[in-house]
Amino acid sequence: AQSVTQPDIHITVSEGASLELRCNYSYGATPYLFWYVQSPGQGLQLLLKYFSGDTLVQGIKGFEAEFKRSQSSFNLRKPSVHWSDAAEYFCAVVANTGTASKLTFGTGTRLQVTL
Amino acid sequence: DAGITQSPRYKITETGRQVTLMCHQTWSHSYMFWYRQDLGHGLRLIYYSAAADITDKGEVPDGYVVSRSKTENFPLTLESATRSQTSVYFCASSDGAANYGYTFGSGTRLTVV
């Protein structure tokens, strides 16, 4: 069955520092991969998505992610973090099973930004 | 306004009571989903629907019932609430194409006492 693993539960970075959040997937075919962000008390917002083609994907808010098939990874990066980036980040994979394409989420990584 | 709306935003109920969480979307998306979010588990799929009158179980369906008589509404009912169902519940919708991802509501925080 498809799954994603986010090995880091909590990460703290200083404002202005670079960020990398890890995501590893398990899926037999070419995966559709997503990163979502959840600000406190809010729903989930799509940051970016990968289906095929260029393995470096640009998203909103200055985020990017790189798909590496050899490592089964889809890590999220940002060159310079802002205090407003503090949130929870979820990696997800789509699997076409049953009657719908369904998202399976990782357990999330909580990002804290220090000033 | 267009979008996906969940109600109520917060709910406290007692063990054993029936409670219904509402979800309404205005895009006429075919697919709708219910997830619960718990610390350490991320989001887990409860039920989903591919169209009106078509529903299917997700990863954690026990204790929940859904219906979809109209495309725009997808209520989630806890028939006899238990404390383990204390959670944040998110509704989402999709046009069905995997590459478009989902759009999520703002969530309902349910506490069962």
Side-chain angles (χ1 to χ4, degrees):
Chain A
Q2 72 287 348
S3 65
V4 289
T5 302
Q6 295 181 248
D8 303 307
I9 296 173
H10 185 214
I11 284 182
T12 300
V13 299
S14 300
E15 189 174 38
S18 63
L19 171 70
E20 183 169 25
L21 302 182
R22 296 184 291 166
C23 173
N24 295 100
Y25 69 89
S26 173
Y27 189 56
T30 299
Y32 292 164
L33 294 160
F34 302 80
W35 275 99
Y36 283 84
V37 61
Q38 183 183 30
S39 298
Q42 301 298 313
L44 278 75
Q45 181 183 21
L46 180 65
L47 281 175
L48 48 79
K49 54 194 176 186
Y50 171 79
F51 310 126
S52 63
D54 192 347
T55 57
L56 186 62
V57 180
Q58 301 298 320
I60 63 171
K61 303 184 179 185
F63 285 93
E64 65 180 27
E66 186 170 12
F67 172 69
K68 293 185 177 180
R69 185 185 299 278
S70 61
Q71 299 177 19
S72 298
S73 68
F74 187 57
N75 294 348
L76 182 70
R77 302 194 296 243
K78 187 169 186 179
S80 177
V81 170
H82 188 262
W83 64 266
S84 60
D85 293 323
E88 186 140 23
Y89 293 80
F90 292 95
C91 183
V93 63
V94 163
N96 295 307
T97 60
T99 57
S101 299
K102 299 184 289 293
L103 274 175
T104 298
F105 287 88
T107 52
T109 298
R110 181 168 297 277
L111 174 65
Q112 182 177 358
V113 180
T114 58
L115 300 177
Chain B
D1 290 344
I4 184 163
T5 305
Q6 291 185 238
S7 62
R9 189 69 192 273
Y10 301 92
K11 176 73 176 179
I12 300 174
T13 191
E14 295 178 338
T15 301
R17 289 194 179 267
Q18 182 181 83
V19 60
T20 296
L21 310 183
M22 304 301 295
C23 180
H24 174 80
Q25 53 105 354
T26 59
W27 290 298
S28 298
H29 282 168
S30 299
Y31 294 86
M32 296 187 75
F33 307 83
W34 274 107
Y35 285 86
R36 61 177 289 173
Q37 183 180 21
D38 304 288
L39 194 64
H41 291 280
L43 282 84
R44 292 179 291 175
L45 182 64
I46 304 170
Y47 268 96
Y48 64 99
S49 169
D53 298 322
I54 300 175
T55 62
D56 207 349
K57 295 178 180 180
E59 181 184 355
V60 289
D62 293 343
Y64 303 95
V65 174
V66 293
S67 62
R68 192 148 177 227
S69 57
K70 294 183 178 181
T71 300
E72 61 267 29
N73 296 323
F74 190 40
L76 176 73
T77 298
L78 288 67
E79 293 186 300
S80 178
T82 65
R83 289 184 179 150
S84 65
Q85 293 176 309
T86 293
S87 186
V88 181
Y89 291 85
F90 286 99
C91 180
S93 71
S94 165
D95 65 359
N99 56 346
Y100 289 105
Y102 294 5
T103 302
F104 283 83
S106 298
T108 294
R109 182 176 293 276
L110 176 68
T111 301
V112 183
V113 299

